[in-house]
Structures are given as structure tokens and as C-alpha cells.
Amino acid sequence: MRLVLMGSALVITVAAVGVAAFGMNRLVDDLQDAAEHQAKLSQVQRQVMALSYGMTDAVERAVEGDRAAIDRHDQLSRELDDTLTELLSLSVDETGARIEQSLNAEREAYLALEDVAVAFARRGDYTRAEEMLSGEYRDLKLVYTNRLDEALDYAASIMDLELQRARSTATWLTAIGGIVLIVIAILWGLVAYDAHAQHRKLLIARRALQSHNERLERAVAERTADLESAKERAEQANRAKSEFLATMSHEIRTPLNGVIGMAGALKRTQLEDSQHKMIEVVENSGQTLLAILNDVLDLSRIESGQVELEEAPFEVDEIASAASALFTPLAQEKNLEFAITVTPAARGMWVGDSLRLRQVLHNLLSNAMKFTSEGSVTGRISTSGGHMVVEVADTGIGISQDRQDAIFERFTQADNSTTRKYGGTGLGLAITRKIAKLMGGDVQLESEEGKGSTFRARLKLKRAERTADPKAAQAA
């Protein structure tokens, strides 16, 4: 609607400007013509009067014997003819033609008497010349003078008509201009009213939007407060759970260590074969239960934020050698190929928590040994992008694609059949990933079901500054 009104107003405004420009040009032309006509008429009137008076004076001088006045009379007569023609050309309509014809007739009549008087004057008969300029001549000249005044008045009336036409044009332009201005004012008023209405709608919509935003902000603030409160309660519950688990683990570890210790001591006594096997079952069950308690304790300490990483230098080859010595008997028992290698770039001294590094490596190797019944288990320690990379690959049962993310959750394995067949609590990989994240890295998995798995733990550790060999220093 606003666009239609604005377009109409603009079109009418442009049209009005065009009409006003045309009318003003027409008015200026009419006024200019009238002014030129007036100036020309005034000039011709003065010339006619001057020539008429000059001819009368010349005739009177001629009859008195002035020979030069005769020639002057002839010259003035020719000039008067031209001037009268110019005067009558200013009004060339039917009335002007009639006036011109009557004026010429009267002029011919009295000029004929003047010519006779001038002819007598040329022959020196001044008495006869003077008689020709009396009586009838004076009457004819009076009539001619009246006709000349009529011609001048008519020329002036023509000038008045031109002025009246200019006034009519001005009046016409004023009327049209007033109407156009009223129409433009109405259209622009409608545009302004529509704009005002749109502004009010926009203002109402803006206020509604602002009110809605305020309600949303209040709702978000309330929801955020609820979430923060729930988060705080969950964190408190998690801390309470972790503290409970840590306390219970310590409480259980003490009698359990006693049971394992007494089982070991009893195994060293003289026992029958059946009794010796029962003691071994008790000892192995105690060791398994102790490992589970240790995992639970580690997980609870990590989740409660009680684990502080140590920053101390260590030799990575020593960690690899210790792990190799620990897991080689198990590999031999299962008839698996087993090896741990350290790349040249990764060898030497590092700074970090060597205990947690050992835990990551042992958890990955233990997991690989558990789920590999034939083939190989290989470990590899390397560097990549400023990180130490601990990689363990196996040819075990593998993990399906849809379960690869879930195995890093607590108490989770590939499936229930895996738990029944291979045992375990499902805490090892969860603890490994949390330790890796504490050390500025993460654990990645590549696996194909039935073909094996490869775990890569990236740990952000620093190289130790080069110092003298500590063993060499002690020998010195």
C-alpha cells in the first residue's frame, strides 16, 4: 500500500513539475511578446506623431516660400508611409485591416491636397498653395487625425489582449498548481499515515518481541539455576560416592591383604595336593579381588579429582623392559608372539608421572592378552607431534563398530558373552582413558571384529633436559 501511494505521489509530483515548467515557459513567452509589442507600439506612436507634426510644419513652411521644406515634406511623407505600415502590422486581424484601409483612404485625400499645395509652392504660386491648405484640407486632416488615433487605440487594445492572455495563463497555472499541490499533499499525507501505522505495528511487534525475549531470558535463567543446582547435587553425590568407595576399598583391602598373606604362608607348609590346590584358588581369588579393589579405588580417586600427577624424570626403556618381563610369561603360557619396542625418537629421559604411564601400558597389554587366544600382541612406544604415543595391537576377537565408543565407559565390555567368557569388570579402559586425559591426551581405537584391535594412547609429556648419566656420576 505504501509503495503504491509513494509511486502515485512521485508520478503526480513529476507530472506537476513538468506542467508547471511548460506553463511557466508559456507565461514567460506571452509576457515577453507583450513587452516587445508594447515597446514597439510606443516607438511607432512616437514616430507617427513626430512625422505628422513634421509634415504639417513642412507644408506650412513650403507655402510660405521655404523651398527646402518642400523636399523635407516629401521625405517625411515616405517615412510616414513606412511607419503607418509598421503600426498596422501590429494588428493584422480583420478589424486592423479595416482600420488600415480607412486610414489610407483619409490619408490619400488630405495628402492629395498637400501635394497640390506643394506643387503650387514649387511654381511660386504661394497664394494658391495657401488656399489649398485651408477649408477642406483642414477638415480632411482632422478626420485623418481621428483615424490615426483610432489605429493607435486599436494597437493598444491588441496589447491589452495579449496582457489579458498572459493573465489568463497565470490564473490557469495557479489553479492547476493549487489542485496538484492539494492532491500531492493528500497523497503524501496518506503515505505519512501509512508509515505511521507501520511504525506503530513495528513498535508493537518490537515490544512483544522484547517481552517474549525477557520471558525466555527468565526461563533460561531459571533453567540454568536448576541445572547448576542439579549439577552441584550430582557432583556432591559423586564426591560422596567416590569417598565411600575409597573408604570401603581401604577397609576391604586390609583384611583381604591378611587373607592373601595367610594363604601364601599356608601354601609354603606341608600340604596334600588337594589342599595345595585349594590354597592356590584362595590366593588367586584374593589377588583378583585385590585388583578389582585397586581399579575401583583408582577410578573413584580420578573422578573425585584426588589424583595429582607427578613431574619427575624417568627412562622410557626401563618402563618398556619391566612391562615386557611382566607379560612375557603370560604370552608364553598362551603361545602368543609378544614384543615391546621403543622407537629411537622416543628413547631417553622424559618428565612426567611414570607410575601412570606404567598403568596405561599395563592396562592396554592386559586387555590385549585377555582377549587374544592366538596370534600376537605387540607394544610400541613412539612420539608424534610433541606427544608420547603408547600403542598396543593384538590379533584377538576385535570389537564391532557400534560398540567401540561404549567400551570406554565404566563397567562396560563388548557384550555380555564377553564378560561371561573372559571375565573382568570393564574398568580398565575407562581408567586408561581418564588417565590419558589427565596427562593431556586421549585414547583412540581401531578395530575390526574377528581380526583384532589397536589402541593408541597419546600422552603429553616433556623431554627431560640433557644431563650427565646418573649411573656414570655415581661411579665417579
Side-chain angles (χ1 to χ4, degrees):
M1 180 64 180
R2 188 192 308 175
L3 293 177
V4 174
L5 290 175
M6 290 182 67
S8 301
L10 288 174
V11 169
I12 293 177
T13 301
V14 172
V17 171
V19 172
F22 173 77
M24 289 301 297
N25 288 333
R26 179 72 179 273
L27 178 61
V28 169
D29 291 341
D30 291 346
L31 291 175
Q32 186 175 0
D33 291 342
E36 292 177 355
H37 199 144
Q38 178 66 35
K40 190 68 176 178
L41 180 61
S42 298
Q43 181 183 0
V44 171
Q45 285 177 340
R46 288 194 298 270
Q47 290 178 353
V48 168
M49 297 304 296
L51 291 172
S52 296
Y53 290 142
M55 287 182 65
T56 301
D57 181 68
V59 170
E60 291 176 353
R61 288 180 180 274
V63 298
E64 291 177 357
D66 188 349
R67 305 290 296 180
I70 297 174
D71 297 333
R72 185 167 179 269
H73 174 270
D74 294 339
Q75 180 181 358
L76 293 175
S77 178
R78 290 191 296 271
E79 291 180 3
L80 181 60
D81 289 340
D82 295 338
T83 303
L84 289 174
T85 301
E86 183 177 2
L87 172 64
L88 295 173
S89 67
L90 297 177
S91 53
V92 293
D93 57 359
E94 182 178 353
T95 303
R98 180 180 58 76
I99 293 174
E100 179 183 6
Q101 185 177 6
S102 176
L103 181 63
N104 287 334
E106 299 295 339
R107 179 172 171 276
E108 290 293 336
Y110 97 85
L111 285 181
L113 294 177
E114 280 189 356
D115 291 339
V116 173
V118 171
F120 281 126
R122 283 196 179 98
R123 292 196 298 266
D125 190 353
Y126 299 109
T127 301
R128 296 287 299 276
E130 186 174 356
E131 290 176 355
M132 295 301 297
L133 296 179
S134 61
E136 184 181 2
Y137 170 77
R138 294 184 183 279
D139 294 337
L140 290 174
K141 187 168 184 180
L142 179 61
V143 173
Y144 169 74
T145 301
N146 293 333
R147 293 289 183 272
L148 181 60
D149 291 337
E150 183 181 354
L152 293 175
D153 292 340
Y154 182 74
S157 67
I158 295 298
M159 175 62 190
D160 292 338
L161 288 175
E162 291 183 357
L163 289 176
Q164 184 64 33
R165 185 172 59 187
R167 293 191 190 97
S168 299
T169 302
T171 303
W172 174 74
L173 286 176
T174 302
I176 292 180
I179 295 173
V180 170
L181 287 177
I182 292 173
V183 172
I184 291 174
I186 292 173
L187 287 175
W188 283 114
L190 292 175
V191 171
Y193 176 78
D194 183 68
H196 179 69
Q198 293 294 331
H199 176 71
R200 285 184 58 82
K201 291 180 181 178
L202 181 61
L203 184 61
I204 293 172
R206 185 178 298 171
R207 289 175 179 171
L209 180 60
Q210 184 178 1
S211 176
H212 183 66
N213 287 337
E214 291 175 354
R215 289 196 299 271
L216 286 178
E217 289 176 357
R218 287 194 298 269
V220 169
E222 293 173 357
R223 182 60 176 167
T224 301
D226 293 340
L227 290 175
E228 289 178 351
S229 177
K231 178 183 176 183
E232 185 177 354
R233 290 195 300 269
E235 290 176 349
Q236 290 177 352
N238 190 49
R239 285 194 296 270
K241 177 206 68 176
S242 298
E243 291 175 359
F244 171 76
L245 289 175
T247 301
M248 291 303 298
S249 296
H250 281 294
E251 293 297 329
I252 295 174
R253 278 162 61 98
T254 300
L256 183 59
N257 284 328
V259 171
I260 294 172
M262 292 304 296
L266 185 60
K267 190 170 66 172
R268 289 190 294 272
T269 62
Q270 295 294 326
L271 297 173
E272 296 180 0
D273 290 341
S274 60
Q275 293 174 332
H276 192 273
K277 289 180 180 180
M278 287 188 288
I279 291 299
E280 283 184 348
V281 171
V282 172
E283 186 178 23
N284 290 336
S285 299
Q287 292 291 348
T288 301
L289 183 57
L290 182 61
I292 293 173
L293 287 173
N294 287 335
D295 286 344
V296 172
L297 181 60
D298 279 342
L299 185 62
S300 64
R301 290 178 61 192
I302 292 171
E303 290 183 345
S304 62
Q306 297 178 1
V307 175
E308 294 183 2
L309 297 178
E310 182 181 357
E311 291 289 326
F314 63 88
E315 176 69 46
V316 69
D317 290 290
E318 293 180 358
I319 294 176
S321 298
S324 179
L326 179 63
F327 286 93
T328 295
L330 181 58
Q332 291 175 348
E333 181 181 341
K334 300 184 69 172
N335 197 24
L336 299 175
E337 294 182 8
F338 174 65
I340 300 177
T341 59
V342 180
T343 63
R347 287 177 178 161
M349 298 296 295
W350 293 75
V351 176
D353 194 327
S354 60
L355 179 62
R356 296 303 173 183
L357 175 59
R358 292 174 191 272
Q359 189 173 2
V360 168
L361 180 58
H362 289 184
N363 284 351
L364 294 179
L365 289 172
S366 176
N367 194 69
M369 290 289 183
K370 181 191 300 183
F371 296 106
T372 304
S373 58
E374 61 181 12
S376 64
V377 173
T378 58
R380 184 172 181 267
I381 300 177
S382 61
T383 60
S384 175
H387 289 71
M388 176 183 288
V389 180
V390 178
E391 179 180 310
V392 174
D394 64 65
T395 58
I397 61 174
I399 304 168
S400 62
Q401 188 70 30
D402 60 336
R403 297 292 297 170
Q404 290 184 10
D405 291 333
I407 63 169
F408 291 100
E409 300 295 330
R410 296 174 297 174
F411 307 107
T412 303
Q413 292 188 349
D415 54 40
N416 293 331
S417 62
T418 301
T419 305
R420 290 193 299 269
K421 182 176 180 180
Y422 297 98
T425 60
L427 291 175
L429 290 177
I431 293 172
T432 300
R433 169 164 277 185
K434 290 184 179 295
I435 292 174
K437 289 186 176 181
L438 281 176
M439 299 178 75
D442 201 356
V443 179
Q444 297 174 337
L445 168 62
E446 294 179 4
S447 182
E448 186 175 352
E449 191 171 6
K451 293 185 178 181
S453 305
T454 299
F455 289 86
R456 293 186 185 88
R458 298 170 61 89
L459 310 174
K460 193 171 184 179
L461 301 176
K462 296 183 294 185
R463 278 287 191 177
E465 296 181 0
R466 295 183 179 275
T467 57
D469 188 352
K471 295 180 180 179
Q474 291 177 0

